[in-house]
Amino acid sequence: MSSSSSKGASTSTSLKGYAALEAKFRKCHTYSVNIGLHLITTPLGLAGFLGLLNLVDGAIPLLVSAVYIGSLYKILPKSTYFKTTVASILILLSVVVVQPTLLISLLGIAASYVFQELAHIITGEITYQSQYMGDSDWMSQLLEHTYYLLPLVLDAVDYMHFSLLGFCVAHNRVLYTKLDSAQQKKDLKTLEKWVLDNEPSTDHTTHWWYDKLEGAPRDAFYRIANCDNLIGMFKESFGEKAYDVDIIDAMNEIYVASPKYGFNSDGVFYMKHVDGPYGIFPFCSTYRTMVAVNFNQQIKTSFPMVPAAYTLSEGDAVGFDFNREVHVISDNKEKNTDFRICLKIHYCMYPKVLRPWGKLLKRLTTQYNTNARALFLATITPGSFRAKASAFLVLATTWLTEITETYMGLNNLFYVLCLGLANYLIHPLIFLIGTSYLHYIIYLGTFYSRRDIAFGTFKRDVMFFKSIALTHLAYYYYKNFEVDVVSLVLLCVGYYIAIAATKALGIDKTYFGSELGHCMPCYVTEFPYNCIPHPMIVGACIGLLGFHKLQGLREEMPYLVPGHISLYLLHCAQEICDFHRNRNGVVGSGSSKKSK
C-alpha cells in the first residue's frame, strides 16, 4: 500500500492531491500477483463492511454506496471514476444477493486485510501503510488510504509489471547485456590467454569446468559470473523484490567451439534443441548465460521461438532458459580466424517465498547436467559401436524434444495431462472447459501486454489450444449429427470468411504480428476486409452458430458455443477499443487493427 503526505480529512483530497497519492501507491504495487490479489481482497473487505451495515438496515448499504460514488466525482480521473463506480455497484449487488451474516461479514473484512498483507509478502513489495505509520498524522493518512483504496487498486492495474493474464502470456525471456567495464575486459583477456595457452582441440569442442579452474582464471570467471551486469539483468526481468538469483557454480564452464562437427555429440549444438528436461517445473527457472570471451563473427546463436539471433563477440552476453528455450547455432558467411571462446554461466531464479522449491530445481538441474556432461564427453569422439549408438541416442532425443517443444510445448502437454487426470478423478467437464477457452485468454492477455512477447511461442500456444477446442466442437457435432441445412450453411459460410481473412492477412498478421512488432503494419483491402468489419471474428462466430444450430449438440452442451462466442466478442471489443497497456501511444500505437 503507498504513503501520502496529505494531512486533510479523507474526502478533502483534490484531483491534484489524488494524483500524487496515486503515484505513491503505484510504487508499492507493481507486480501483477500483488495487484491481482488486491482486486479480490479489496472488494471482499468492502462487501464485508456493507454486509455489516446491511444487518442494521437494508437501505443503508445503498445510501452509503451512493454517497461514496458521488463524493469521488470531482476527485478521480474520469476513467478511474467509471471503473470505481462499476466496481462499487457490483460489490453492492453481491451484498444484496448474498445477504451475508455477521460472521461472514467479519470474516470477509479479516480475510481482506490478511490476504492483502500476504500479497505483499509473496511479492516482496512494501505496504503502503508501512510508509506512513511513523508519521504524526498517520491516522488521517490511514483514513485517506482506506477511503481511496478501491480506485487506487483499479488504477494500479494499468501500471503493473505484467498484466493480470501474464501467467498465460508468452513473454520473451531471452535476455541480453554487454560486459564492457575495464575490469571485465581485463578478466575476459585473462581467460582468453589461459585457454589459448592450454591449446584447445581443433577436432571437437573443448570444455573446462569452473570447479576445476585455479588461480587467475578462476578468479576472473568468478568476477564475471557475479558482476552487476549479469545479476542485474535477471533481477530486472524477474523482479528484484520478489525473486532471488543463485549462481550454479557446478554447471559453469569455459566452452571452446570447434570448426568440426558431425556424427557425434557436438552435432547437438547445430540442431535446434533445449538443454534441460525441467521445463514443467513451475515458478522457477534455470538460466544459461553465454558470455563471449573473444572476437567472433562466424557463429550465430538463434532462438527461433522468439525469434531472435545473436552473433556474440567480446563481452556480449545472452541468457536463456536452460529447460525451456529452443536454440541453435549456425555459421555466418564471415569466418573466424581463431577459436570461438565462451563462458557458460548458470543461474537459478525463484520466488523468495519459495526458496526450498527453487533450491530443488537448482539441485535437480545440476544433477542432470552432470549426467548429461558425462554422456556428452563419452560420445564426443565415438569409436565403438556402443559409443556411436549413444551418440545416435543423444541426437535422436534432442530432435524429438525440440519437435515436441516447437509444435506443442512441454508445458502445454503437461497442462493437458493434468486436466485429463482431473477430468477422470473429479468431474468429466474439466478437460472440456479447461481446453476449450484457454486460447481466448491468451489472445486477451497478449493483445493487452504487447511488449516483450515471444512471437513463435505465442503462435504455437494459441494454435495448439485452438486446435483442441475445434476438435471438441467437431466431436460433439459428429456425435449428434443429423441433416440440418441451416447449420451446414452457417458452418461453411462462417469458416469460409474466417479462412479468407487469414489468407488476406497471412498467418503472422493473423496472430497479432503487426501489434507485436513482428510485421510491418499495412492496410488490407482484399476480401473479406473490403466489405466485412473484423471478418475473422465475425466469420468464426457465424461458424460457431452453425455448430450451435444443431439440436443434439445444443441440448447436450448448451453453454459450449455461447462461451466461445462471448469470449470472441470480448476480444473483438478489446480490438475495437484498442485496449492494451500502451494505448496512450507510448508503444505500439501505430499498429494495424486488422489482425484478428
Side-chain angles (χ1 to χ4, degrees), residues 416-594:
V416 168
L417 178 64
C418 290
L419 284 183
L421 184 62
N423 194 84
Y424 176 75
L425 296 175
I426 301 173
H427 195 282
L429 289 181
I430 289 178
F431 185 80
L432 175 67
I433 296 171
T435 55
S436 287
Y437 306 119
L438 185 57
H439 60 290
Y440 300 112
I441 308 302
I442 298 174
Y443 286 151
L444 292 166
T446 303
F447 189 91
Y448 178 82
S449 294
R450 290 286 175 103
R451 65 185 186 186
D452 296 330
I453 303 298
F455 185 64
T457 305
F458 160 67
K459 280 201 307 180
R460 178 202 69 191
D461 291 348
V462 292
M463 293 173 75
F464 177 77
F465 286 108
K466 186 174 183 178
S467 297
I468 295 177
L470 289 173
T471 301
H472 285 312
L473 290 166
Y475 167 75
Y476 285 107
Y477 194 82
Y478 174 79
K479 179 183 176 182
N480 295 281
F481 182 75
E482 59 183 12
V483 177
D484 185 325
V485 176
V486 175
S487 171
L488 292 170
V489 168
L490 288 171
L491 281 169
C492 292
V493 171
Y495 285 109
Y496 171 74
I497 293 172
I499 292 170
T502 301
K503 182 180 178 182
L505 281 178
I507 195 69
D508 284 349
K509 288 183 181 178
T510 293
Y511 291 103
F512 307 150
S514 297
E515 286 84 348
L516 300 180
H518 183 73
C519 307
M520 287 296 294
C522 63
Y523 195 81
V524 180
T525 57
E526 297 176 39
F527 175 82
Y529 284 97
N530 58 359
C531 57
I532 302 174
H534 297 276
M536 201 167 300
I537 293 177
V538 170
C541 288
I542 292 172
L544 287 166
L545 289 173
F547 281 112
H548 199 60
K549 174 64 175 64
L550 192 69
Q551 183 177 350
L553 185 151
R554 190 169 64 250
E555 291 177 350
E556 183 177 359
M557 291 290 167
Y559 303 110
L560 180 60
V561 171
H564 279 280
I565 293 177
S566 297
L567 288 168
Y568 250 136
L569 293 179
L570 178 62
H571 174 52
C572 186
Q574 182 188 32
E575 282 200 340
I576 291 171
C577 298
D578 203 24
F579 183 75
H580 56 90
R581 68 182 304 146
N582 303 310
R583 58 188 177 278
N584 293 326
V586 179
V587 179
S589 57
S591 56
S592 167
K593 292 185 183 181
K594 290 195 171 187

